[in-house]
Amino acid sequence: MTTTLITGANKGLGFETARRLVGAGHTVYVASRDAGRGRRAAERLGARAVPLDVTDDASVAAAARAVEAGGGLDVLVNNAGIQVEMVDGQEVAGAAELTAEMMRRTFETNVFGMVRVLHAFLPLLRRSGAPVVVNVSSGLASLSRMSDPGSPGHPYPGVAYPASKTAVNMITVQYAKAFPRMRINAVEPGFTRTDLNGNSGRQTVERGAEIIVRMAQVGPDGPTGGYFDAEGPLAW
Ligand code: NAP
């Protein structure tokens, strides 16, 4: 039996990933910063609910204790994320408007939050027979793409969100080297209709969750330290 925890699983790509992994037979923890939203989502899915705010040490530690008491963890999906430079699908902040505070808020969730969760759950993952981590990144993380005028993400003017996801990619590479027994990959879901972008995304959550679900189910002989979308490996 595989036990999986997904951060930010009360809606969007995290919820769809939870739905699919419950369907694949995983025992799924829907982790949500709002206990009520998490409980309602878990009830709809036949999953377990655990409160978890990635920006809060005590919340993350309590979640790790609850999952340990529940029997441990095999798969961690670091999905929770924010995009503060987009409001209602409108790009509001390019380099000219970027403040250190916007950068700090973005990194608090997307980067420091991910490390906080990894640090708390690593002891549980190390006890698993087949530990897997999926870090939800973005195509906007790719330095190759963002510096290529022909790439679809190139016109995006925001700084904080892409920079935070580039950090996610480096975290993925370094953790994968540190824990060769684990399968640790970064994924790009593609531009997906969710609250993150005011539902301006071009594809459904079913399509967006594809690569997250696939990498959550990767076996011990699967890739690690990579960066993938649904079509295959991406340039960093
Ligand atoms: P979403 O519908 O807005 O969902 C984001 C989830 O993260 C929500 O459950 C949200 O909880 C949660 N979250 C935010 N801050 C949190 C915190 N401090 N602690 C715990 N949970 C927190 O957006 P989404 O599109 O599904 O995003 C999921 C991931 O995919 C993100 O990492 C995003 O960067 C990435 N991504 C999305 C796209 C896209 O086009 N949508 C493309 C590439 C990558 P609340 O409900 O409480 O706010």
Side-chain angles (χ1 to χ4, degrees):
M1 180 59 101
T2 302
T3 302
T4 299
L5 182 139
I6 304 161
T7 63
N10 53 284
K11 68 178 183 181
L13 289 163
F15 181 86
E16 175 61 15
T17 300
R19 190 181 73 76
R20 300 260 279 277
L21 291 177
V22 167
H26 290 210
T27 298
V28 173
Y29 283 93
V30 166
S32 171
R33 63 176 157 178
D34 182 277
R37 282 200 291 271
R39 200 175 49 248
R40 284 190 291 280
E43 277 167 10
R44 282 172 61 198
L45 294 170
R48 301 178 182 186
V50 65
L52 192 161
D53 182 334
V54 302
T55 65
D56 183 327
D57 279 331
S59 163
V60 173
R65 281 195 301 274
V67 172
E68 187 169 24
L73 189 69
D74 304 296
V75 180
L76 170 64
V77 180
N78 282 311
N79 166 76
I82 59 170
Q83 191 173 21
V84 303
E85 54 218 353
M86 294 274 277
V87 174
D88 296 332
Q90 300 295 310
E91 281 157 32
V92 292
E97 293 87 25
L98 181 71
T99 62
E101 175 56 18
M102 289 167 62
M103 198 76 176
R104 193 194 60 74
R105 271 177 56 207
T106 305
F107 271 62
E108 194 57 64
T109 298
N110 296 3
V111 182
F112 310 148
M114 180 175 286
V115 171
R116 183 176 287 108
V117 171
L118 280 165
H119 186 70
F121 284 92
L122 271 172
L124 281 71
L125 290 167
R126 292 175 93 164
R127 275 179 244 140
S128 165
V132 171
V133 175
V134 183
N135 293 330
V136 181
S137 179
S138 165
L140 302 180
S142 166
L143 296 170
S144 315
R145 285 186 170 195
M146 292 304 270
S147 52
D148 170 9
S151 144
H154 185 266
Y156 183 83
V159 179
Y161 181 79
S164 74
K165 296 297 189 176
T166 307
V168 165
N169 283 2
M170 182 59 84
I171 288 166
T172 303
V173 167
Q174 295 299 80
Y175 272 73
K177 284 192 286 190
F179 301 103
R181 208 173 63 77
M182 299 187 192
R183 305 293 89 184
I184 306 179
N185 292 291
V187 299
E188 137 73 330
F191 191 33
T192 309
R193 272 190 297 289
T194 66
D195 289 347
L196 187 91
N197 47 45
N199 292 294
S200 65
R202 276 190 288 276
Q203 63 178 13
T204 62
V205 285
E206 286 81 1
R207 173 86 180 129
E210 274 301 328
I211 188 63
I212 311 177
V213 171
R214 200 186 309 159
M215 282 299 158
Q217 296 180 285
V218 80
D221 54 348
T224 193
Y227 173 39
F228 300 93
D229 72 4
E231 315 306 323
L234 293 177
W236 294 108

